[in-house]
Amino acid sequence: MKIDILSLFPDMFTGVFQQSILKKAAESGIVSYQVTDFREFADNKHKRVDDYPYGGGAGMVLMPQPLFDAVAAIKRRSEGNPRVLLMTPQGERFTQKKAEELAKEKHLIIICGHYEGFDERVREHLATDELSIGDYVLTGGELAAMVIVDSVVRLLPGVLGNEESPATDSFSTGLLEHPQYTRPADFRGMKVPDVLLSGNHALIERWRKKESLRRTLERRPDLLENYPLDETEKALLEEIKKETSI
Ligand code: 6GU
């Protein structure tokens, strides 16, 4: 996958792409990142990228020209038809499902804005998707773009080892993950549940599924509303509800 990022603050990305799994993914050729300062594309002498809003009011608006020309330049060197993601708090809420959808693409262009926002023609005629990472306001789209890149790249085949398979992640399964423990079995009096030390794999699986359901019920009951419970899961959930009503 190729990922192009358009930002007025390209240096923000260097640390993130040069560490850990995002770095390894690039080194192994699974992904390549290119961050472009779209100010370079401004066709005015002073390299201005923003201007006052028509009709007046506070704040500045990003002009369409630098962004349209930057995206056109990237598309000219693209082999496919890249998705153009606009980072905006007004966008569709980014979810694991969206990450899975984007992970199928060959080429993504991610536009990060600043100031009061984008000229509406960027939204209407340049972006294919408008994305927000949650209901809070950031100073710019860069941090949101990093979140999206991280969640998409880790889904690309070969990026994670088998041990850390994304298939069992919270949200991929539709439930939150069960609690995890490692050695020691007794840490300063805080003990690992006996069942995990029992060696009985059927019992362990049952415990994990139950705790996964319990966590989801306690912390994210909204996720359970859309989760297709099988008969075993229904029975476990009944057990949990009986336990908690005592
Ligand atoms: Cl994508 N951009 C900004 N500026 N703020 C946000 C956001 C994006 N997602 C959540 N808050």
Side-chain angles (χ1 to χ4, degrees):
M1 172 182 279
K2 216 174 164 308
I3 301 178
D4 272 282
I5 300 200
L6 294 177
S7 165
L8 296 173
F9 302 93
D11 293 345
M12 286 180 74
F13 293 88
T14 49
V16 172
F17 292 163
Q18 284 169 23
Q19 299 282 324
S20 185
I21 291 177
L22 295 188
K23 177 187 183 178
K24 279 190 215 143
E27 283 173 349
S28 58
I30 297 169
V31 66
S32 68
Y33 314 108
Q34 182 153 0
V35 187
T36 302
D37 183 347
F38 60 85
R39 191 180 296 282
E40 293 166 16
F41 287 84
D43 67 5
N44 60 83
K45 224 185 15 261
H46 298 106
K47 299 278 171 209
R48 270 187 74 171
V49 292
D50 60 338
D51 209 338
Y52 297 98
Y54 273 119
M60 301 296 275
V61 176
L62 285 170
M63 299 163 8
Q65 178 275 320
L67 286 168
F68 272 77
D69 288 351
V71 169
I74 294 168
K75 282 187 173 171
R76 276 197 293 277
R77 345 178 223 96
S78 180
E79 281 151 32
N81 185 25
R83 289 273 273 270
V84 180
L85 316 181
L86 193 68
M87 299 299 102
T88 164
Q90 298 181 14
E92 164 193 347
R93 180 91 65 89
F94 185 66
T95 59
Q96 188 65 26
K97 183 161 165 270
K98 193 78 180 181
E100 287 162 11
E101 178 189 322
L102 294 177
K104 297 183 186 130
E105 298 286 336
K106 287 261 177 294
H107 189 177
L108 302 176
I109 301 176
I110 307 182
I111 303 177
C112 305
H114 263 263
Y115 317 111
E116 285 304 296
F118 301 95
D119 184 286
E120 189 64 16
R121 291 162 289 191
V122 171
R123 297 180 190 284
E124 287 185 346
H125 303 288
L126 198 57
T128 59
D129 303 75
E130 295 185 39
L131 296 175
S132 159
I133 61 164
D135 292 344
Y136 38 82
V137 179
L138 303 169
T139 56
E142 284 78 8
L143 287 166
M146 292 177 209
V147 166
I148 288 170
V149 168
D150 188 282
S151 66
V152 169
V153 169
R154 67 186 289 289
L155 295 175
L156 300 177
V159 170
L160 296 185
N162 244 351
E163 313 85 68
E164 31 195 6
S165 158
T168 59
D169 290 340
S170 293
F171 301 113
S172 292
T173 62
L175 298 175
L176 300 184
E177 269 189 273
H178 54 75
Q180 301 271 21
Y181 296 88
T182 186
R183 288 187 290 182
D186 182 339
F187 174 66
R188 301 179 186 173
M190 297 174 270
K191 297 198 172 64
V192 173
D194 286 334
V195 57
L196 296 179
L197 312 175
S198 70
N200 183 330
H201 290 291
L203 269 185
I204 291 171
E205 273 320 299
R206 186 179 190 283
W207 181 87
R208 287 184 166 164
K209 175 56 70 103
K210 186 169 173 183
E211 295 314 309
S212 176
L213 286 162
R214 191 195 309 279
R215 260 214 173 167
T216 312
L217 181 68
E218 284 171 1
R219 301 183 182 194
R220 292 295 305 276
D222 58 302
L223 293 178
L224 279 180
E225 283 164 31
N226 300 312
Y227 182 82
L229 291 164
D230 65 24
E231 292 308 313
T232 316
E233 290 163 340
K234 280 183 196 160
L236 288 171
L237 210 51
E238 281 313 305
E239 275 184 38
I240 295 164
K241 286 180 179 163
K242 281 202 190 98
E243 287 164 22
T244 43
S245 62
I246 298 166

